[in-house]
Amino acid sequence: MPSSSPETVTRFAPSPSGYLHLGHAHSALFAWRAARAAGGRFLLRIEDIDNPRSDPAFMDAILEDLSWLGLDWEDPVRHQSGQLDSYAAALEGLRDRGLLYPCFCTRSTIRAEIAASGHAPHGPSGAVYPGTCRTLSPDARGTYLAQGKPYGLRLDIAKALDSTGPLTWIDRGRGEIQADPLSHGDVVLARKDIATSYHLAVTLDDADQGVTLVTRGEDLFPMTDIHRLLQALLGLPVPQWHHHGLLRDEQGERLAKRDDALSIRALRQAGKSPAEVRALAGFPD
Ligand code: GLU
């Protein structure tokens, strides 16, 4: 391979909140095959920052199911719960640059604020945050902080975008995409319960692990707007992406994650072979 073309590094990054199902198998095989086809490397990352829903039993089951399916990955398996220092360092840098602000809102105060404003813009991540805490007076902010009121940290998207300028990214399926972070509103980068978020953790880990091709379901396609912005803000390398279609049933409905009959485990117990399950997941041998 010429030295100018970087090695392909892909990853599968499940959250251990249940057993893997056919949709996960599709995603894992998609990433694994992309790495193998390019003579590259395939990594596994357990996205276990969602403490209350992460169960160690599911983590073991994920590894067991993937290897039963015939996948192999490079050691070590990364756990996001072990990366909290790296997330904290990035947050501190962004906060020092004035790009983050503490948000004391609860879901219900946000709902009330949106209802009172009479218009409820919807972005790719749901209702757009109305910016309540961005415009909080320094006095009010100081009082809340002094009272020890719990807060998360939001990214001031407009300010962030001002500092980076317009951004694009490459999806291998769809070509060059104009990133549209503004449509999401000020997203949370550090939650109240854990000082990170999906957006921050996934972006930092992909960079730190040297992932060059991020593959995942098309449901996460819009999230790349935010990840591309974070890469620009944090000076991280920019990978390519390939968002794949989602597995659907005969009616065209997306397979429900919680349908236990479609877990790899249940299919295996019902006597299916790994090759049969790979075929059900859209990858016949
Ligand atoms: N952990 C995420 C999930 O299970 C996937 C993260 C990603 O691929 O960006 O849906």
Side-chain angles (χ1 to χ4, degrees):
M1 190 184 288
S3 58
S4 58
S5 71
E7 185 181 28
T8 297
V9 182
T10 68
R11 51 57 167 191
F12 175 55
S15 310
S17 54
Y19 290 121
L20 294 185
H21 60 89
L22 278 180
H24 290 116
H26 181 75
S27 227
L29 284 159
F30 191 93
W32 183 81
R33 289 194 169 207
R36 291 288 169 270
R41 294 157 51 213
F42 172 68
L43 310 176
L44 183 58
R45 184 169 71 230
I46 305 293
E47 306 219 315
D48 58 348
I49 52 170
D50 225 355
N51 282 328
R53 292 198 298 129
S54 295
D55 182 332
F58 289 134
M59 299 190 206
D60 295 341
I62 287 172
L63 306 193
E64 197 187 302
D65 289 348
L66 290 175
S67 83
W68 177 81
L69 266 179
L71 274 69
D72 53 358
W73 52 87
E74 208 174 272
D75 276 334
V77 174
R78 172 167 294 203
H79 289 75
Q80 289 192 320
S81 54
Q83 301 299 315
L84 296 178
D85 289 350
S86 121
Y87 309 147
L91 286 169
E92 198 179 310
L94 293 172
R95 208 171 174 175
D96 287 349
R97 286 155 66 189
L99 296 172
L100 304 183
Y101 60 87
C103 176
F104 305 92
C105 293
T106 60
R107 279 175 211 273
S108 61
T109 58
I110 294 173
R111 264 199 306 273
E113 175 92 12
I114 289 174
S117 76
H119 79 128
H122 241 72
S125 320
V128 171
Y129 178 64
T132 322
C133 286
R134 187 181 55 235
T135 51
L136 215 53
S137 72
D139 273 1
R141 189 171 286 166
T143 307
Y144 289 158
L145 289 172
Q147 287 170 345
K149 207 169 167 175
Y151 63 91
L153 292 171
R154 286 188 186 268
L155 179 64
D156 184 332
I157 292 274
K159 201 167 176 185
L161 205 52
D162 270 353
S163 79
T164 63
L167 298 164
T168 58
W169 52 278
I170 305 286
D171 184 272
R172 291 216 179 154
R174 301 205 210 170
E176 190 178 51
I177 311 289
Q178 189 74 45
D180 184 15
L182 273 178
S183 62
H184 296 254
D186 292 351
V187 292
V188 171
L189 288 195
R191 301 186 333 211
K192 284 180 185 168
D193 59 332
I194 180 159
T196 187
S197 65
Y198 160 65
H199 293 308
L200 184 70
V202 88
T203 305
L204 285 170
D205 282 328
D206 280 340
D208 188 50
Q209 294 190 280
V211 173
T212 61
L213 176 62
V214 174
T215 65
R216 57 186 173 203
E218 66 188 6
D219 52 330
L220 293 173
F221 186 95
M223 303 307 158
T224 308
D225 291 335
I226 304 293
H227 305 170
R228 182 67 191 88
L229 176 62
L230 288 175
Q231 285 155 0
L233 291 173
L234 297 167
L236 303 174
V238 182
Q240 290 196 349
W241 285 261
H242 197 163
H243 293 87
H244 57 74
L246 302 175
L247 279 193
R248 294 184 187 274
D249 63 18
E250 280 119 49
Q251 284 73 45
E253 293 294 321
R254 193 178 156 189
L255 294 183
K257 277 196 182 171
R258 304 277 161 229
D259 187 344
D260 289 342
L262 298 178
S263 74
I264 308 305
R265 214 136 265 251
L267 293 164
R268 175 181 172 183
Q269 275 155 14
K272 300 270 187 227
S273 70
E276 284 169 323
V277 175
R278 289 197 297 269
L280 285 171
F283 288 99
D285 290 340

